[in-house]
């Protein structure tokens, strides 16, 4: 996919429609809770129960920000992010986990993940990460 350009959230929603946030989590209750939270923040939401389901969907190329659980069978959130980067689809990625480990966070951030949040996710922290993701000029580069 080509270069993605930064658009302030207020401009984006007014002129081009709502940004699409895709959420990937194998735990159904966590997926529904996150979907409801992100939708309540005013975004379009697509939800997937596995990384492979997300990759097989047409929503990959319409996703403006990805929120993925780290601990999923077959493909973890970190592996999903790495796969997307290797394929040239630089979607700003937020990883969430119920089992935070310093080593995993450091690895994820080194690979260009934008934010790393612990479950249960705080709404204000998530919103700050999503806003940051939507303002990125080239996701995957110059991460804080």
């Amino acid at each position: 996919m080509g270069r993605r350009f930064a658009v302030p959230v207020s401009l984006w929603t007014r002129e081009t429609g709502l940004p699409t946030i895709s959420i990937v989590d194998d735990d159904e209750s966590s997926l529904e809770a996150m979907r409801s939270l992100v939708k309540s923040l005013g975004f379009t939401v697509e939800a997937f129960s596995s990384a492979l389901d997300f990759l097989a969907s047409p929503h990959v190329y319409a996703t403006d920000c990805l929120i993925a659980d780290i601990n999923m069978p077959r493909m973890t959130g970190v592996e999903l992010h790495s796969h997307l980067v290797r394929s040239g689809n630089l979607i700003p990625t937020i990883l969430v986990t119920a089992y935070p480990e310093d080593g995993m966070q450091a690895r994820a951030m080194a690979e260009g993940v934008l934010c790393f949040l612990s479950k249960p996710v705080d709404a204000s922290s998530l919103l700050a990460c999503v806003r940051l993701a939507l303002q990125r000029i080239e996701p995957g580069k110059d991460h804080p």
Side-chain angles (χ1 to χ4, degrees), residues 103-132:
M104 179 60 70
Q105 181 174 359
R107 177 177 162 220
M109 299 304 279
E111 292 188 21
V113 169
L114 189 62
C115 292
F116 189 98
L117 302 173
S118 296
K119 291 181 181 178
V121 174
D122 173 70
S124 61
S125 296
L126 179 64
L127 181 57
C129 287
V130 169
R131 283 186 173 156
L132 180 62

Side-chain angles (χ1 to χ4, degrees), residues 9 15 47 49 51 55 66 78 86 93 116 120 126-127 132 141:
V9 173
E15 295 185 8
S49 60
L55 290 172
L66 174 64
V78 173
R86 281 192 313 274
T93 302
F116 189 98
L126 179 64
L127 181 57
L132 180 62
K141 295 189 178 188

